């Protein structure tokens, strides 16, 4: 919540970089905390010097914005808190102490108090050396996964990804690299910020190492299955609409020109580019990475074997870890007892959101959708072979007087595609198969004095639009179709499937842009590692 508020302030004031004062002592506390929570090597690497964050709100974006996010920088990670006190004293600068920092209710405070009793120079330097070794491992894994994603992953603008297992060659990859790779792909598709952990991580590793792939899997908000006609050499990764989070939508008004968001300054873009090049230059190769095959339990043992830490530091870290684990277990037991007394609120997995003309709907954190009514009906050519039995006189049907029941004050709803939408499109190909309810809805779209002519023209348009939509839908994997946004009216009538160009009225103007909030590769994990 704190970061979100700071981020919103930055975006309101067109600030692209936020500097915060985390220091080396914070990094040490985080290492012990994550060690006690059984975190892996990537987590033990602690906080990155720089990483990109992305707003959870679309109120500052429109469909043309780049969504660069905020560059968060921690320039003081190599300074201890004592160093910062000295700087303030020498400079005559007052500071503020947060009184809650003394409360032992918080894990960080308990660890901080314990670390004070181990304030020798040797202990501090050796602890930072372990963290640095973990950071080198993370830098190597991040760069390795980035290169591999460019080679083995294809992102389709309909909102899904395809992983080429032959290029990926998962049987030759270390568990740590493969887990990170899959985490980045799944986080991008689901747009979740929580990484894959525990049993889910193991399940994914087993699944991705099966070659050729013959089964399907649902994990971390995604559905994985063999890609069509790939014979199991490629895996389709699409969003699972059965998960609560991806179905969340946000609506906001379109920004006027005066309200356009800030773009990242050219000099900042150059700094980021230079930083990545600098970081890549110092990323070690596999032979210099110490903990690539280490688990959380074995990191300290391996560090002692490599003489990164002494026996004394090794024992002291284990004692700190043991104490915090005991606190953690006690808190977990208390939390479970409290939760059993309270009712668990059910989460609706699919909720339709109202959308008025001129509003933006950010659907499932990946599609920007908007609609409006056009006074001029666009010219859409109708293939002669498909509709040779229809004779359109004069300038064509698109210049014929047209009456549309859609009004400018109408509110539509946006939901994901369901099986009945496909069946409805199939029925539109043969208007004789439409039931009485659909026939009546079509008739109401025509002016009374021209009902026969307009009805025929309307059926031609619907048939053409449905035929084109079905052809496009057949090129999209069945599992991926379910996450496509669909517009319906309050009666549930299908108005549009904008991703494939279907709309049931030529007066309707709909746009759908695939624009995930967080790009492939993340923004929640570090993207530059200054070592």
């Amino acid at each position: 919540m704190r970061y979100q508020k700071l981020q919103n302030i930055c975006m309101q004031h067109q600030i692209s970089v936020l500097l915060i004062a985390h220091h080396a002592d914070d990094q040490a506390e985080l290492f012990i905390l994550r060690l006690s929570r059984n975190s892996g090597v990537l987590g033990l690497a602690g906080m990155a010097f720089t990483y990109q964050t992305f707003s959870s709100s679309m109120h500052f974006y429109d469909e043309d914005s780049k969504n660069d996010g905020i560059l968060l920088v921690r320039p003081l990670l190599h300074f201890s808190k004592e160093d910062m006190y000295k700087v303030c004293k020498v400079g005559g600068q007052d500071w503020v102490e947060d009184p809650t920092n003394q409360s032992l209710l918080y894990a960080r405070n308990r660890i901080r108090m314990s670390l004070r009793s181990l304030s020798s120079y040797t202990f501090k330097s050796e602890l930072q050396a372990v963290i640095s070794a973990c950071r080198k491992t993370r830098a190597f894994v991040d760069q390795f996964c980035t290169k591999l994603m460019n080679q083995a992953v294809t992102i389709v603008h309909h909102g899904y990804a395809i992983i080429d297992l032959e290029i990926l060659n998962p049987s030759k990859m270390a568990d740590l690299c493969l887990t990170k790779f899959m985490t980045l792909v799944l986080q991008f598709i689901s747009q979740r910020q929580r990484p894959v952990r525990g049993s889910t991580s193991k399940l994914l590793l087993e699944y991705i190492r099966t070659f050729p792939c013959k089964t399907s899997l649902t994990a971390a908000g995604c559905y994985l299955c063999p890609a069509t006609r790939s014979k199991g050499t490629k895996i389709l990764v699409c969003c699972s609409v059965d998960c609560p989070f991806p179905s969340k939508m946000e609506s906001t008004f379109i920004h006027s020109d005066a309200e356009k968001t800030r773009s990242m300054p050219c000099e900042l873009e150059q700094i980021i580019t230079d930083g990545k090049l600098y970081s890549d230059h110092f990323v070690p190769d596999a032979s210099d990475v110490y903990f690539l095959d280490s688990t959380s339990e074995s990191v300290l043992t391996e560090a002692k074997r490599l003489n990164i830490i002494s026996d004394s530091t090794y024992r002291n870290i284990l004692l700190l870890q043991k104490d915090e684990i005991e606190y953690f277990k006690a808190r977990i037991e208390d939390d479970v007892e409290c939760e059993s007394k309270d009712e668990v609120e059910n989460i609706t997995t699919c909720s339709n959101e109202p959308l008025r003309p001129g509003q933006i709907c950010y659907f499932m954190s990946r599609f920007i959708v908007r609609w409006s009514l056009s006074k001029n009906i666009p010219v859409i050519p109708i293939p002669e072979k498909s509709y040779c039995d229809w004779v359109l006189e004069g300038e064509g049907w698109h210049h014929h007087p047209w009456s549309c029941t859609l009004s400018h004050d109408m509110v539509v709803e946006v939901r994901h595609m369901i099986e009945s939408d496909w069946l409805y499109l199939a029925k539109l190909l043969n208007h004789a198969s439409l039931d009485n309810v659909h026939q009546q809805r079509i008739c109401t779209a025509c002016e009374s004095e021209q009902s026969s002519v307009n009805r025929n023209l309307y059926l031609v348009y619907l048939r053409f639009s449905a035929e084109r939509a079905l052809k496009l839908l057949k090129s999209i994997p069945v599992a991926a179709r379910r996450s496509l946004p669909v517009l319906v009216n309050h009666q549930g009538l299908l108005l549009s499937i904008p991703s494939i160009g279907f709309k049931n009225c030529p007066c309707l103007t709909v746009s759908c842009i695939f624009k995930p909030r967080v790009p492939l590769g993340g923004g929640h994990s570090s993207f530059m590692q200054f070592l």
Side-chain angles (χ1 to χ4, degrees):
M1 186 180 296
R2 175 178 58 183
Y3 278 116
Q4 188 59 58
K5 289 184 178 297
L6 289 171
Q7 191 175 61
N8 290 342
I9 292 172
C10 287
M11 300 189 73
Q12 288 171 356
H13 296 277
Q14 300 186 5
I15 297 170
S16 299
V17 183
L18 176 65
L19 280 70
I20 54 179
H22 283 127
H23 47 77
D25 292 356
D26 292 324
Q27 197 80 298
E29 294 162 12
L30 185 60
F31 178 88
I32 301 299
L33 178 64
R34 289 184 174 176
L35 191 67
S36 68
R37 303 298 192 266
N38 202 32
S39 179
V41 178
L42 303 184
L44 295 177
M47 295 173 282
F49 279 103
T50 59
Y51 67 91
Q52 211 166 0
T53 64
F54 298 88
S55 176
S56 61
S57 171
M58 281 300 295
H59 288 279
F60 301 104
Y61 298 105
D62 61 19
E63 59 266 46
D64 298 322
S65 67
K66 292 175 62 178
N67 192 10
D68 294 308
I70 304 298
L71 186 64
L72 192 122
V73 183
R74 297 184 177 97
L76 303 178
L77 280 183
H78 284 316
F79 295 86
S80 69
K81 192 169 186 178
E82 187 62 32
D83 292 332
M84 298 170 68
Y85 279 133
K86 290 178 180 178
V87 170
C88 289
K89 289 177 180 177
V90 172
Q93 175 66 54
D94 293 332
W95 65 87
V96 176
E97 294 281 355
D98 185 347
T100 62
N101 285 343
Q102 306 302 318
S103 173
L104 295 181
L105 292 175
Y106 302 105
R108 272 188 173 275
N109 294 346
R110 292 195 300 269
I111 295 171
R112 185 179 301 123
M113 301 295 183
S114 300
L115 284 172
R116 286 177 182 174
S117 62
L118 302 169
S119 57
S120 69
Y121 173 81
T122 300
F123 176 82
K124 286 185 175 181
S125 61
E126 289 182 355
L127 180 56
Q128 291 298 331
V130 177
I131 297 173
S132 178
C134 290
R135 287 174 58 80
K136 286 184 178 180
T137 304
R138 183 171 66 185
F140 171 81
V141 172
D142 284 352
Q143 187 185 68
F144 179 84
C145 290
T146 299
K147 291 180 179 179
L148 197 57
M149 281 188 294
N150 293 333
Q151 300 169 358
V153 180
T154 301
I155 303 299
V156 183
H157 70 277
H158 289 301
Y160 62 93
I162 298 175
I163 301 175
D164 192 322
L165 294 180
E166 291 181 319
I167 297 177
L168 183 64
N169 197 8
S171 62
K172 302 295 184 180
M173 291 178 62
D175 287 355
L176 189 62
C177 293
L178 189 55
T179 299
K180 179 67 173 182
F181 174 86
M182 291 303 297
T183 293
L184 291 174
V185 175
L186 266 62
Q187 284 183 327
F188 172 74
I189 295 300
S190 69
Q191 287 294 293
R192 290 180 167 188
Q193 294 197 14
R194 290 185 177 181
V196 180
R197 293 192 179 100
S199 59
T200 303
S201 177
K202 295 179 181 178
L203 191 64
L204 273 172
L205 284 175
E206 293 175 1
Y207 178 81
I208 201 71
R209 284 205 165 108
T210 304
F211 187 86
C213 179
K214 300 294 184 182
T215 60
S216 60
L217 175 70
T218 301
C222 295
Y223 177 77
L224 295 82
C225 65
T228 307
R229 294 186 294 275
S230 71
K231 296 182 179 181
T233 61
K234 296 180 180 179
I235 291 179
L236 169 73
V237 184
C238 58
C239 184
S240 174
V241 297
D242 297 324
C243 296
F245 181 81
S247 297
K248 180 184 177 182
M249 292 185 292
E250 299 171 9
S251 298
T252 182
F253 288 101
I254 294 177
H255 299 282
S256 65
D257 291 338
E259 296 171 326
K260 291 282 186 179
T261 59
R262 93 282 182 264
S263 59
M264 185 175 289
C266 295
E267 60 269 20
L268 180 56
E269 292 182 349
Q270 188 60 49
I271 290 173
I272 293 175
T273 301
D274 293 343
K276 288 180 179 179
L277 292 174
Y278 179 84
S279 177
D280 292 344
H281 178 72
F282 287 97
V283 171
D285 55 35
S287 61
D288 294 327
V289 175
Y290 300 136
F291 304 136
L292 197 57
D293 297 316
S294 300
T295 62
S296 176
E297 295 82 5
S298 63
V299 165
L300 291 181
T301 304
E302 184 67 10
K304 186 176 73 167
R305 187 186 71 82
L306 295 169
N307 294 321
I308 298 176
I309 57 176
S310 61
D311 288 341
S312 174
T313 299
Y314 174 78
R315 290 194 300 270
N316 286 330
I317 293 177
L318 286 181
L319 287 174
L320 291 172
Q321 179 191 19
K322 180 182 177 181
D323 291 342
E324 185 52 37
I325 287 175
E326 294 300 322
Y327 275 109
F328 185 60
K329 286 182 178 179
R331 288 293 301 272
I332 288 295
E333 291 173 359
D334 292 340
D335 292 342
V336 170
E337 183 178 352
C338 292
E339 287 179 3
S340 63
K341 299 177 182 179
D342 300 327
E343 292 186 8
V344 179
E345 183 180 357
N346 292 326
I347 301 177
T348 304
T349 59
C350 178
S351 58
N352 297 346
E353 290 288 331
L355 187 66
R356 297 184 181 276
Q359 280 187 309
I360 289 177
C361 174
Y362 201 41
F363 181 75
M364 296 174 71
S365 295
R366 58 183 49 74
F367 293 107
I368 296 180
V369 181
R370 71 170 180 175
W371 73 279
S372 61
L373 292 178
S374 177
K375 296 180 180 179
N376 299 318
I377 302 174
V379 177
I380 303 178
I382 299 179
E384 294 182 1
K385 293 182 180 179
S386 301
Y387 300 101
C388 58
D389 54 329
W390 291 92
V391 178
L392 302 180
E393 299 179 353
E395 297 178 282
W397 66 270
H398 48 271
H399 289 293
H400 194 281
W402 196 272
S403 177
C404 182
T405 57
L406 302 182
S407 61
H408 290 277
D409 58 349
M410 186 182 74
V411 175
V412 304
E413 294 178 346
V414 186
R415 60 165 171 78
H416 63 79
M417 189 175 179
I418 56 179
E419 188 64 26
S420 60
D421 297 328
W422 172 278
L423 298 177
Y424 177 67
L425 293 178
K427 284 184 177 181
L428 290 179
L429 290 182
N430 182 10
H431 62 83
S433 66
L434 292 173
D435 56 35
N436 292 333
V437 175
H438 289 140
Q439 289 276 5
Q440 185 177 2
R441 288 175 177 172
I442 289 175
C443 289
T444 58
C446 308
E447 293 180 350
S448 58
E449 65 272 15
Q450 296 176 338
S451 59
S452 177
V453 176
N454 273 355
R455 182 177 183 275
N456 289 339
L457 289 173
Y458 191 33
L459 288 173
V460 169
Y461 173 79
L462 282 177
R463 186 177 175 186
F464 163 66
S465 186
E467 181 182 30
R468 182 178 59 177
L470 286 171
K471 287 181 179 179
L472 289 173
L473 278 176
K474 289 178 181 178
S475 66
I476 303 174
V478 176
R481 295 175 195 161
R482 297 188 64 198
S483 63
L484 295 179
V486 169
L487 274 65
V488 297
N489 65 9
H490 68 283
Q491 296 175 327
L493 176 65
L494 179 63
L495 299 178
S496 175
I497 308 177
S499 298
I500 56 172
F502 171 77
K503 50 184 182 177
N504 76 344
C505 177
C507 298
L508 188 63
T509 300
V510 184
S511 67
C512 178
I513 301 173
F514 177 59
K515 191 170 186 178
R517 175 179 289 124
V518 181
L520 182 63
H524 18 266
S525 62
S526 62
F527 74 100
M528 282 192 284
Q529 298 286 342
F530 296 119
L531 301 175

